[in-house]
Amino acid sequence: EAGVAQSPRYKIIEKRQSVAFWCNPISGHATLYWYQQILGQGPKLLIQFQNNGVVDDSQLPKDRFSAERLKGVDSTLKIQPAKLEDSAVYLCASSPLRQRSTDTQYFGPGTRLTVL
Amino acid sequence: AQKVTQAQTEISVVEKEDVTLDCVYETRDTTYYLFWYKQPPSGELVFLIRRNSFDEQNEISGRYSWNFQKSTSSFNFTITASQVVDSAVYFCALRSQGGKLIFGQGTELSVKP
């Protein structure tokens, strides 16, 4: 079974530019998550989708970050415009929808964003 | 509020030594779930174990073992006879019913040959 796929793996942009990340979850997984991991810290949830609906986006900086999951499969996370403090690894995870709390989340390799 | 504390920022051991990674959590919920993930240099978080709050049995999987103690709110992880391939950052995480997955700061383990 293929794991969570993410692209690109690395991205370097200048501040105020825009960037987009793509994620394809494990086949059949209804729930998809985007996390931000700043160097030296644990991942922090940005947004959670269940199928194509948003379950939790309370920690998403909505003035510059947006995410969509149009067909309930793959997802895109966008930053516009980027700031220096957005430099981080952006991780995508997915889980099946058996029981939300017990479901194990499986992570992709992440996209390392550097904002200059 | 929920919180996970991994007090050890970095640990360095020599191959074949045993090493224990500490994890202390805080939650007011009676039902919750604890996880350990490994993050090798490649960056991907690899799931290691999930434990629910009603199951305090310790678990052993090969060289890995986990000690869950509700009385001290701890969920420690021991690697026996460590190997160079165990070098990674290890994260402990907590999730309550319907809640977010909350990660600790991580412990960077370096196993030297």
Side-chain angles (χ1 to χ4, degrees), chain B residues 82-101:
Chain B
S82 60
Q83 300 177 1
V84 173
V85 293
D86 296 327
S87 295
V89 181
Y90 291 85
F91 289 96
C92 181
L94 163 71
R95 187 172 191 180
S96 293
Q97 286 278 23
K100 297 182 183 58
L101 189 60

Side-chain angles (χ1 to χ4, degrees), chain B residues 4 6 8-9 18 25 27-29 32 36-37 40 46-47 54 58 68 76 78 81 87 90-91 94-95 103 113:
Chain B
V4 176
Q6 294 180 255
Q8 305 150 307
T9 307
D18 298 347
Y25 62 91
T27 180
R28 293 180 180 174
D29 295 317
Y32 53 88
W36 275 95
Y37 283 87
V46 178
F47 166 73
F54 299 114
N58 291 332
F68 176 30
N76 296 336
T78 297
S87 295
Y90 291 85
F91 289 96
L94 163 71
R95 187 172 191 180
F103 286 86

